């Protein structure tokens, strides 16, 4: 992995995690329902994990690529339905969404962090993906595979 790539992905994860954690903590302190605050806690954990992943990547730690892969993988799905909803992004996002009931495609892009959840709120069914997160996941898989190939060939040589 080149240094600029490590820095870019590390800063996106670290900065996005910090921003999301700051905004999420302010939501916990604001007036609102206890259940809403309780449902926000897992997202605060995800943002904290993102900060750790970003630091590990910036420091060049072992296993940082795999940890960052899982962190970005958590950001890929976008799902809203009458029963449950989930959306999480940290750093940057470009969501492509499809709403089958209206045969409608839509997209939205953001630089920063956000999360959205719903529980029995009667929202329409919408499914989508975060293209930025999916692209980062593919890139991290490529890097992990090429590093295994280089490591394997070096170990086999006398």
């Amino acid at each position: 992995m080149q240094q600029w790539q490590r820095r870019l992905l590390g800063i996106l994860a670290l900065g996005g995690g910090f921003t999301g954690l700051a905004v999420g903590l302010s939501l916990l302190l604001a007036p609102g329902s206890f259940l809403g605050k309780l449902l926000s806690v897992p997202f605060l954990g995800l943002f904290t994990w993102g900060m750790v992943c970003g630091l590990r990547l910036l420091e060049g730690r072992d296993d940082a690529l795999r940890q960052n892969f899982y962190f970005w993988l958590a950001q890929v799905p976008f799902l809203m339905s009458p029963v449950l909803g989930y959306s999480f992004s940290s750093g940057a996002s470009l969501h492509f969404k499809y709403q089958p009931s209206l045969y409608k495609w839509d997209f939205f892009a953001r630089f920063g962090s956000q999360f959205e959840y719903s529980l029995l709120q009667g929202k329409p069914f919408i499914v989508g993906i975060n293209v930025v997160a999916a692209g980062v996941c593919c890139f991290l898989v490529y890097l992990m595979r090429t590093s295994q190939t280089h490591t394997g060939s070096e170990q086999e040589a006398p």
Side-chain angles (χ1 to χ4, degrees), residues 51-158:
M51 291 171 44
V52 171
C53 288
L55 278 174
R56 291 177 58 87
L57 192 61
L58 289 170
E59 293 173 348
R61 297 270 182 106
D62 293 338
D63 206 26
L65 291 178
R66 187 171 60 86
Q67 289 297 315
N68 274 272
F69 168 76
Y70 291 127
F71 174 67
W72 285 93
L73 189 63
Q75 299 178 53
V76 171
F78 180 95
L79 175 67
M80 289 295 149
S81 75
V83 179
L84 289 172
Y86 170 86
S87 174
F88 169 73
S89 64
S90 176
S93 64
L94 174 60
H95 285 93
F96 280 95
K97 308 181 299 182
Y98 179 66
Q99 187 173 353
S101 62
L102 300 177
Y103 302 106
K104 179 182 174 185
W105 287 94
D106 198 7
F107 73 95
F108 66 92
R110 295 227 166 69
F111 189 70
S113 301
Q114 70 174 23
F115 67 91
E116 184 179 357
Y117 62 87
S118 66
L119 182 62
L120 301 173
Q121 293 181 352
K123 292 194 174 201
F125 182 74
I126 303 171
V127 64
I129 65 166
N130 179 349
V131 178
V132 171
V136 170
C137 284
C138 291
F139 179 66
L140 290 171
V141 166
Y142 167 77
L143 289 175
M144 287 186 288
R145 287 189 177 173
T146 56
S147 70
Q148 287 175 354
T149 303
H150 294 297
T151 305
S153 63
E154 289 173 3
Q155 290 176 350
E156 293 174 5

